[in-house]
Amino acid sequence: MSYKTEELLAVCIARLIRARPTRHIAVGAASPIPAAAAWLCVKQGDPLHLSLLHKRSGNPFTDGSRELFDLTGQGRIDLFFLGGGQIDGQANINLIGTGPWPGLEVRFPGSFGSAFMYYMSGRTILFREEHSPRVFVDRVDHISAPGTSEPGVFRRGHAQALVTGRCVFDFHPDRGRFSLASYHAGESVESIRAMTGFDFDVPEGVAETVPPSDAELALLRGAVCDEMLETYPDFCARVFERKAAA
Amino acid sequence: MTPISLEAMAASIPDGAMVAVPPDNSIPSVALAKALIRRRARGLRLVGVPISGFATDILIGAGCVAEVNTSAVTLGEAGFAPRFSAALKAGTLTVRDATCPAMHTMLQAAEKGVPFMPLRGLIGSDILANRPDWVVIESPFGTGEKITLLPALHPDVAVFHAVMADSAGNVWVGRRRECATIAHASQRSLVTVERVVEGNFLEDERLCPGAINATYISGIAIAERGAQPSALLDEYGFDTDYVMQYARAAKTEAGFAEWCAEHVFDNQAVAAE
């Protein structure tokens, strides 16, 4: 069955979710693909609790937006997703901007909760569809949240992986480096190197990303899309070619 | 509590005041932001709790703002906040970047009446490196943990919208409890409401958890659809088209001025009712 890039990325993220024990996932604002991945796991029978922070109905919090941070501080969020205007080879993320502080060249919206969630979640999957040397740089201009922390700084988790429109990288906090886990169809180790501004490791035998199965695609286009229509109507129309009933 | 007019409410906020505002998904008073533009407020120091959106961008565009203390300024689906970006580039605005739980923590310290509170995370970020008012210490409890202390933040005025006020001056915000946080932490709270109803929310077990007690409320003004284009709980939704149209218009200073003339000044009579 043919598939769209978004569907492949959702399946990649779902595999990463399932790779480790996970009870509670929080998905933030601009994240339809991670949301689809989390729903895919649920529809495949994983007993996950999802907190979808920008869902119009089903907002789980009753103590204001601080409740998310308070419960993450306690270690009640196993997995969170973060992106970045820039992401570097040490998994530092930059949501501030480029040029002199505070982003006088190109200003991004700001760091949101990243300078807390990245440390306090059990783990984080980094996600950025655009895979270019503009985004994946050797060193970010400004660190909204660091990829690793010095001894003496409480840190519950790190990046697990970085999923892009071209490949999946694993992150190794012990050595502060990414390694290529797989490249998507049409890419190669060389093409990934050419489009990535940071250096990374390439394990022996690295191969093409396993495509989505027919069963996964059927779930994404059916039960997962049903759950996402209300919150991400444009995404569902574009990727799954479905519109909410009027 | 007798409601006052929107314009009188805006007039009671002095130039240079530190004003706490909730973001687009948490019932900001866009009506009062527009009234502040009409009264040509200057030098406001906005506090985004924990981020800032549409109301902040129009206040910046109209030249009302000197400083924003926030974790982000965004129009959500409509993209980057155009007047915020332009003002930063022009050097007419100071931004004090934070992270969302830091905004909450500084206000929670004020709620508790303590001078500071610790927060994990932060260390190793450039946000911390650019906040001389935040201090890293080693835990005094002998664990060796490094942790950041954040000073209590006491805004002069909290400004937000609520569904309704009652006869006693309590206001009801449902689950948007960050409005309660800023009301508790601020010297004064000015609240626009859709309507005023008879009775007392605090006497109703179903309404009282979503109510903010009149002790914290300094003034109420009726502004129907006062959060628009932001959503008001389940009463009305977010007006994406309106914000998209704004984002396009506000790309240039001239475009913003035109938008402002139409949407802020022409509607004065309606908004002031």
Side-chain angles (χ1 to χ4, degrees):
Chain A
M1 213 185 291
S2 70
Y3 55 86
K4 294 214 165 81
T5 305
E6 290 87 347
E7 293 172 322
L8 174 69
L9 300 190
V11 168
C12 287
I13 294 173
R15 289 175 191 142
L16 290 164
I17 292 172
R18 248 183 265 112
R20 296 191 199 171
T22 312
R23 294 158 304 158
H24 188 175
I25 303 179
V27 185
S31 310
I33 292 176
W39 276 118
L40 181 59
C41 290
V42 170
K43 298 299 175 187
Q44 286 173 323
D46 295 349
L48 288 175
H49 182 71
L50 293 187
S51 290
L52 301 163
L53 307 182
H54 286 257
K55 203 167 179 294
R56 274 197 200 105
S57 62
N59 177 335
F61 300 122
T62 56
D63 201 17
S65 61
R66 79 183 188 202
E67 190 179 350
L68 166 70
F69 306 108
D70 290 352
L71 74 85
T72 307
Q74 294 180 45
R76 292 174 188 262
I77 296 281
D78 300 312
L79 173 60
F80 194 64
F81 297 92
L82 283 171
Q86 292 178 326
I87 298 174
D88 71 22
Q90 289 92 58
N92 298 311
I93 65 170
N94 174 10
L95 293 156
I96 291 284
T98 64
W101 182 271
L104 293 182
E105 199 176 275
V106 178
R107 170 72 197 200
F108 309 144
S111 302
F112 295 91
S114 63
F116 181 82
M117 299 301 284
Y118 205 12
Y119 305 67
M120 305 311 286
S121 307
R123 67 192 205 267
T124 300
I125 294 177
L126 299 175
F127 175 76
R128 183 73 206 251
E129 219 175 331
E130 178 184 335
H131 185 147
S132 69
R134 184 179 83 119
V135 173
F136 299 132
V137 295
D138 183 49
R139 189 78 185 164
V140 294
D141 287 18
H142 307 291
I143 298 177
S144 285
T148 57
S149 295
E150 59 186 83
V153 174
F154 184 92
R155 183 152 191 153
R156 191 169 280 124
H158 298 87
Q160 174 187 3
L162 165 61
V163 178
T164 84
R166 299 179 191 275
C167 72
V168 178
F169 292 110
D170 290 327
F171 185 65
H172 308 276
D174 46 334
R175 54 181 197 270
R177 274 176 75 84
F178 287 104
S179 68
L180 188 61
S182 71
Y183 46 83
H184 305 333
E187 301 289 344
S188 63
V189 175
E190 294 68 37
S191 74
I192 300 296
R193 277 217 191 283
M195 293 307 285
T196 308
F198 58 73
D199 190 30
F200 53 87
D201 299 328
V202 180
E204 213 164 298
V206 68
E208 202 171 288
T209 308
V210 176
S213 69
D214 288 356
E216 284 168 329
L217 289 172
L219 271 179
L220 281 173
R221 293 165 190 178
V224 170
C225 179
D226 291 344
E227 298 286 356
M228 300 203 11
L229 271 171
E230 183 200 51
T231 315
Y232 302 108
D234 297 339
F235 178 81
C236 290
R238 181 164 52 80
V239 177
F240 305 128
E241 287 160 27
R242 277 186 46 196
K243 286 199 165 74
Chain B
M1 190 179 294
T2 312
I4 57 175
S5 78
L6 193 55
E7 307 303 329
M9 187 177 267
S12 80
I13 300 175
D15 284 354
M18 188 194 291
V19 182
V21 289
D24 289 344
N25 64 356
S26 195
I27 42 180
S29 179
V30 176
L32 190 55
K34 288 181 173 179
L36 281 165
I37 295 173
R38 284 194 293 273
R39 90 144 189 80
R40 301 185 192 280
R42 289 293 176 265
L44 298 179
R45 293 168 294 146
L46 299 185
V47 177
V49 186
I51 64 165
S52 286
F54 178 80
T56 293
D57 203 57
I58 62 173
L59 283 164
I60 292 170
C64 305
V65 183
E67 179 188 291
V68 192
N69 187 354
T70 189
S71 306
V73 185
T74 173
L75 296 184
E77 271 185 276
F80 291 8
R83 290 295 95 202
F84 165 70
S85 305
L88 264 193
K89 202 159 258 187
T92 56
L93 177 76
T94 303
V95 61
R96 281 142 73 83
D97 278 284
T99 192
C100 296
M103 300 307 301
H104 289 297
T105 299
M106 291 189 291
L107 293 164
Q108 282 174 270
E111 279 188 290
K112 290 180 195 303
V114 296
F116 55 81
M117 272 175 69
L119 181 70
R120 281 173 161 166
L122 285 168
I123 297 172
S125 74
D126 285 327
I127 298 170
L128 177 60
N130 285 279
R131 292 291 303 228
D133 54 331
W134 296 355
V135 179
V136 178
I137 61 152
E138 190 175 307
S139 167
F141 294 98
T143 58
E145 180 182 346
K146 288 177 198 145
I147 192 158
T148 308
L149 301 182
L150 309 177
L153 182 62
H154 299 272
D156 298 314
V157 192
V159 164
F160 55 92
H161 190 68
V163 175
M164 51 191 175
D166 66 16
S167 313
N170 304 303
V171 301
W172 193 84
V173 295
R175 72 171 77 192
R176 301 317 322 193
R177 299 298 303 173
E178 47 277 323
C179 293
T181 301
I182 60 173
H184 297 167
S186 302
Q187 306 294 321
R188 296 196 294 145
S189 297
L190 299 175
V191 185
T192 55
V193 298
E194 295 287 313
R195 53 189 174 270
V196 176
V197 299
E198 291 291 315
N200 187 330
F201 303 145
L202 304 182
E203 302 302 320
D204 181 332
E205 287 297 337
R206 283 168 302 179
L207 286 176
C208 68
I212 301 172
N213 163 352
T215 304
Y216 303 103
I217 310 299
S218 319
I220 289 164
I222 296 173
E224 286 175 22
R225 304 190 84 76
Q228 259 196 341
S230 295
L232 178 61
L233 311 187
D234 51 6
E235 302 233 340
Y236 46 85
F238 187 78
D239 190 344
T240 308
D241 291 343
Y242 185 92
V243 179
M244 293 273 189
Q245 190 204 343
Y246 167 78
R248 276 192 299 273
K251 273 190 184 135
T252 63
E253 202 172 334
F256 175 80
E258 224 168 279
W259 181 90
C260 212
E262 185 187 341
H263 293 267
V264 178
F265 288 95
D266 274 4
N267 296 335
Q268 184 165 11
V270 177
E273 271 175 11

